[in-house]
Amino acid sequence: MTRATKVVVGLGIAGILTYLYYTEVKPVVIFGLRSDYAHAIPYQKIPEGLESLKAESCGACHREIYEEWKSSVHAHAVEDPFFQAYWKKDHNIWVCLNCHAPLENQQPTLIKDIPRGRVEKAVQEPNPHFDAAYQQESITCAACHVRDGVVLGPFDDSAAPHPTKFDPTFRTAQVCSRCHNVVSGPAQFYNVGPCGTYVEYEGKFFMQERGMICQSCHMPEVERPVAEGSPIRQGRRHLWRGGHDPEMVKRAIAVQVKAEPAHPKPGDDVRLTLTVINAGAGHKVPTGDPDRHFTVEFEVRDEGGQILDQHQDTMGRWILWQPVIVEVYDNRLLPLASRDFLYGYRLPDRPALLTVTARVRYHIQTEGQHEMLKTQYGLTAADPYYFTVYERTVPLTGNLTAAWDGPPARNGQSCPATHHPGDPVRVGTLVLEKKALE
């Protein structure tokens, strides 16, 4: 066999192996399958006493809950522009609907078989029960509350014009696990799944000592009638605020800044330490989609506003996507953990009116990803894909310790997440003393 023949044969074998790898080993989506979300929630019939499974029908009696749901990300999980762009990138693969519109009633096809776990090879047939308008309700009331013609809920003494049944999972975090616990697949080596918030849930301090579950933050307790004309009782708001909500992200973290020396002179080296604390989330921050990350930014400006120096650090997940998926690094914050970010700047030898800004930004995706989705996959969202959760500017003269520890300047550059050294960390009604953070 000549050398040229060997090269041709070798290239042919390599080509065949590459083809087999991408068509039989590596999934076409960034996650693996698990039995509960590999299929839609089975077809649900309308419970006796109700006119329809649609949320508006539920809202006739459960008005406040219905209005909250309408404002939630759950209610718009299908039409969400970010989802639509990513879904287009993934060729509108059916499996994504199993979380974004999870009822079989909402899906255009029935999945009869998934040969070798390959979602792109799934055997599909038209769904005679498909309701296109109902699909647009995304994660609708019945997705969680209706099974086998019965309305499930967290109460064991319900009196309603339709069949009801107490389901204890509504009082646990388990009710969130189906979609917020996406696992790895073949040739995918994540530390946790790509959307693994459920398995990140911290079970000691928040769960055991505080008795908190996912709903404690994402479905806050409220006393009100569950339905029109019913008695007042303790229920939960159906909001599910999370990683797309600036105020929710601000509640999750606390920020403090220390400066040395306290009274810098011209020519001194000024050192800043910005500490980010995961003070309010029972899971890692950031969490969910692996694209999400924080940036910690410092910049020095002169009196004319010109940037003289800047520095940026990132906190998130670094993932190699090809040829295999490998999570290279993860420096996100565990619950109650903190991390210091350092910055130094040498002052000029002559006095100058300089300011330094410290900023923490939360990013839903990178600028490159956002541009790609806009130019290639039709993203038209006006929604911000990053927002500032902490920002403060102080002069690089005088008492730096007092400047960082004192009340914020009235310039809109500080946010409620500001935390001063030695203070307890307050997140909503939860106060974490310093000892709990160490």
Side-chain angles (χ1 to χ4, degrees):
M1 184 181 291
T2 65
R3 182 176 180 182
T5 302
K6 291 179 180 179
V7 170
V8 171
V9 171
L11 291 174
I13 293 173
I16 292 171
L17 291 175
T18 300
Y19 173 80
L20 291 174
Y21 170 72
Y22 280 102
T23 59
E24 297 295 334
V25 178
K26 190 176 189 295
V28 297
V29 290
I30 65 167
F31 53 86
L33 296 182
R34 194 179 59 230
S35 59
D36 55 352
Y37 65 77
H39 296 274
I41 296 169
Y43 171 76
Q44 299 299 319
K45 62 182 181 179
I46 301 171
E48 185 179 345
L50 295 181
E51 296 181 358
S52 154
L53 284 181
K54 293 186 177 180
E56 187 176 12
S57 179
C58 302
C61 293
H62 303 278
R63 196 70 202 173
E64 289 189 38
I65 292 174
Y66 172 64
E67 294 297 333
E68 290 168 355
W69 168 82
K70 284 202 302 183
S71 75
S72 74
V73 173
H74 276 190
H76 304 281
V78 170
E79 67 180 11
D80 171 52
F82 290 106
F83 169 70
Q84 283 291 329
Y86 275 119
W87 196 29
K88 183 177 179 181
K89 182 176 181 290
D90 288 334
H91 307 288
N92 297 98
I93 193 75
W94 58 269
V95 70
C96 298
L97 289 178
N98 286 352
C99 281
H100 285 258
L103 287 173
E104 186 177 291
N105 312 47
Q106 299 174 293
Q107 302 200 8
T109 62
L110 301 175
I111 306 303
K112 309 306 291 184
D113 188 29
I114 311 173
R116 303 181 302 284
R118 304 294 302 181
V119 296
E120 75 279 16
K121 299 180 185 296
V123 178
Q124 305 181 56
E125 64 180 41
N127 179 5
H129 300 296
F130 173 54
D131 184 334
Y134 196 40
Q135 183 188 80
Q136 294 305 305
E137 291 194 9
S138 306
I139 306 164
T140 188
C141 310
C144 296
H145 286 283
V146 175
R147 296 293 183 273
D148 302 319
V150 177
V151 178
L152 309 179
F155 303 114
D156 57 7
D157 59 350
S158 297
H162 51 71
T164 63
K165 183 180 179 180
F166 168 59
D167 185 348
T169 61
F170 281 90
R171 297 183 177 181
T172 72
Q174 184 183 345
V175 73
C176 308
S177 67
R178 180 181 181 271
C179 291
H180 294 278
N181 185 20
V182 178
V183 298
S184 303
Q188 297 177 346
F189 303 98
Y190 299 102
N191 294 333
V192 297
C195 299
T197 303
Y198 179 79
V199 294
E200 294 172 359
Y201 176 51
E202 191 270 345
K204 184 178 178 182
F205 179 80
F206 282 97
M207 184 169 69
Q208 294 180 10
E209 295 189 28
R210 296 285 180 171
M212 299 178 74
I213 55 177
C214 306
Q215 298 91 311
S216 301
C217 293
H218 299 285
M219 298 182 68
E221 290 183 335
V222 61
E223 289 192 356
R224 65 182 178 190
V226 174
E228 298 287 334
S230 67
I232 294 176
R233 68 195 310 170
Q234 190 174 73
R236 292 192 179 276
R237 302 189 69 191
H238 287 55
L239 297 169
W240 304 287
R241 301 291 189 252
H244 286 264
D245 183 80
E247 293 307 314
M248 197 69 181
V249 176
K250 290 177 183 179
R251 286 181 56 199
I253 67 167
V255 178
Q256 63 181 32
V257 181
K258 296 179 181 177
E260 294 180 342
H263 299 272
K265 302 183 297 295
D268 280 354
D269 289 319
V270 175
R271 299 175 299 280
L272 299 182
T273 302
L274 184 149
T275 303
V276 180
I277 308 165
N278 179 0
H283 47 71
K284 288 184 176 181
V285 291
T287 191
D289 191 298
D291 294 334
R292 298 176 183 178
H293 61 282
F294 285 98
T295 54
V296 176
E297 306 164 14
F298 300 94
E299 61 185 30
V300 174
R301 294 177 181 264
D302 63 18
E303 59 183 316
Q306 181 178 351
I307 296 176
L308 304 180
D309 189 55
Q310 56 189 349
H311 177 76
Q312 177 176 294
D313 292 299
T314 303
M315 185 169 68
R317 302 170 76 174
W318 282 259
I319 297 173
L320 175 71
W321 296 106
Q322 294 289 353
V324 297
I325 294 178
V326 178
E327 186 156 355
V328 179
Y329 187 58
D330 178 356
N331 72 341
R332 296 175 298 155
L333 286 178
L334 289 163
L336 306 180
S338 64
R339 179 166 296 113
D340 291 340
F341 296 89
L342 309 179
Y343 174 69
Y345 182 76
R346 172 164 288 185
L347 296 178
D349 294 332
R350 295 184 177 182
L353 296 176
L354 307 181
T355 60
V356 60
T357 297
R359 181 185 304 112
V360 180
R361 280 182 174 154
Y362 171 80
H363 304 253
I364 294 171
Q365 54 191 198
T366 66
E367 290 186 17
Q369 289 164 329
H370 190 256
E371 187 64 24
M372 172 196 70
L373 293 178
K374 284 199 304 181
T375 57
Q376 298 181 39
Y377 300 104
L379 176 66
T380 58
D383 305 38
Y385 59 96
Y386 69 87
F387 44 80
T388 300
V389 295
Y390 172 91
E391 182 170 324
R392 191 161 187 178
T393 299
V394 303
L396 278 172
T397 55
N399 188 334
L400 289 188
T401 300
W404 288 109
D405 291 354
R410 295 180 180 272
N411 56 6
Q413 294 183 320
S414 290
C415 78
T418 305
H419 174 248
H420 300 144
D423 290 349
V425 178
R426 182 178 298 274
V427 185
T429 59
L430 178 65
V431 178
L432 307 179
E433 299 296 340
K434 186 175 184 295
K435 63 182 180 180
L437 302 172
E438 295 175 342

